Amino acid sequence: MGAQEKTVFEFIERVDNHISIDHLLDDLLQVVGDFGIEHMIYTGLPVGNNSIDPLVKTNRFPQEWWNRYVELDYAKKDAVCQQVYSTMSPFVWHDVQPGFTSRDGAARIAGEAAEHGLVDGYIVPVFSRDEWLSAISFAAPKRLILSQKERGALNLMAIYTSSAIERRQQKRPARGKLSTREREVLLWTSAGKSCWDVSVILGISEKTVRYHTAQIRTKLNATNTTHAVVRALQQGEITLGQLAEALGDFH
């Protein structure tokens, strides 16, 4: 086993032993520093018009750059971010497909990132219990030249790091918890009821039902009702029993 491989596996062995997430990230960045990497972020990816900011789990990007990224809602035009939606495979930033880099605003965003020391990077889509799609993105101040073995090492460290963070955050209150009314609306709409039907059943206006539906999708970072139901089940907002009951009432 080479020195670099030994360092990677030693990191994996101690990934759950750190006293805090900050200490874990300090360790991670020290190890990936051998690859030329200086920054990282672990975040969910937004859907629709949602902002990426509430979905961030840990962030070691330059704060000035991240503030600008969020303020100008760059996730919608960032070529790297947009490619993640089309693939579950890790990739180097400079390998982003032309179809994404040629989009309006993409080159400007990449240029501004470079000005803040994020010239290139490597992004690894990972599983998250809270978001429909998440990723760890590593960033470097110069172009990354990574061997297949180095990419594999980064993939492994990203997976172990994200899993460790998920376990540490498991006991935190769910972000964007649904209200009782929102759960009712979700259950009835999941049973195939229209907004008008739900308004009659719950004794509220159709406009209010539509408002609750939009809030549900935003809180759960969901694209549609089916997606919202899946997310709600994953996060314990509704149970299979409640869903089965709603579907039973529909039939």
Side-chain angles (χ1 to χ4, degrees):
M1 182 183 295
Q4 191 176 69
E5 291 173 290
K6 185 173 184 292
T7 300
V8 169
F9 282 105
E10 286 175 347
F11 167 78
I12 290 171
E13 287 178 355
R14 62 179 179 267
V15 74
D16 282 317
N17 297 332
H18 294 286
I19 61 174
S20 69
I21 291 176
D22 278 339
H23 283 82
L24 168 61
L25 299 184
D26 288 341
D27 190 5
L28 174 65
L29 286 173
Q30 183 173 350
V31 174
V32 299
D34 291 339
F35 298 79
I37 290 166
E38 295 184 0
H39 307 284
M40 63 80 65
I41 188 171
Y42 175 26
T43 182
L45 279 296
V47 295
N49 292 319
N50 295 343
S51 169
I52 194 173
D53 196 35
L55 309 180
V56 176
K57 296 173 180 291
T58 55
N59 186 4
R60 288 295 184 88
F61 274 8
Q63 195 59 51
E64 182 182 353
W65 163 244
W66 187 249
N67 289 343
R68 181 172 179 78
Y69 192 95
V70 171
E71 180 183 358
L72 298 178
D73 205 11
Y74 276 169
K76 290 183 174 62
K77 295 183 178 181
D78 178 8
V80 174
C81 184
Q82 290 304 306
Q83 177 154 314
V84 182
Y85 291 110
S86 67
T87 179
M88 284 303 293
S89 299
F91 59 89
V92 181
W93 291 5
H94 67 247
D95 286 338
V96 172
Q97 299 168 10
F100 297 111
T101 58
S102 62
R103 290 183 180 179
D104 181 47
R108 176 168 56 84
I109 293 170
E112 291 182 15
E115 291 173 4
H116 287 84
L118 288 74
V119 173
D120 201 1
Y122 185 72
I123 192 162
V124 184
V126 294
F127 171 78
S128 168
R129 69 184 181 88
D130 291 327
E131 315 303 341
W132 76 287
L133 179 61
S134 296
I136 284 186
S137 190
F138 298 103
K142 61 182 180 180
R143 187 180 176 90
L144 284 176
I145 305 299
L146 300 171
S147 67
Q148 285 301 117
K149 184 178 291 187
E150 289 171 330
R151 294 185 186 211
L154 289 172
N155 296 344
L156 201 58
M157 287 188 287
I159 291 168
Y160 272 87
T161 297
S162 64
S163 296
I165 291 171
E166 291 290 331
R167 287 191 291 274
R168 286 175 179 267
Q169 295 181 339
Q170 211 165 30
K171 295 181 180 180
R172 293 185 181 182
R175 192 185 321 113
K177 188 175 181 180
L178 299 183
S179 67
T180 300
R181 180 64 83 193
E182 286 166 348
R183 290 193 193 92
E184 291 175 333
V185 169
L186 180 60
L187 286 167
W188 283 116
T189 54
S190 69
K193 299 293 185 181
S194 68
C195 287
W196 183 84
D197 292 331
V198 177
S199 71
V200 173
I201 293 169
L202 298 180
I204 57 180
S205 70
E206 187 173 353
K207 181 178 179 181
T208 300
V209 173
R210 294 187 186 281
Y211 170 78
H212 284 314
T213 300
Q215 287 293 101
I216 290 166
R217 291 178 182 174
T218 297
K219 287 183 177 183
L220 297 178
N221 196 29
T223 54
N224 52 43
T225 299
T226 301
H227 189 197
V229 171
V230 172
R231 304 288 297 129
L233 287 169
Q234 289 175 333
Q235 297 181 25
E237 294 287 355
I238 61 174
T239 66
L240 285 172
Q242 290 172 321
L243 184 58
E245 185 178 345
L247 290 170
D249 287 342
F250 175 64
H251 294 299

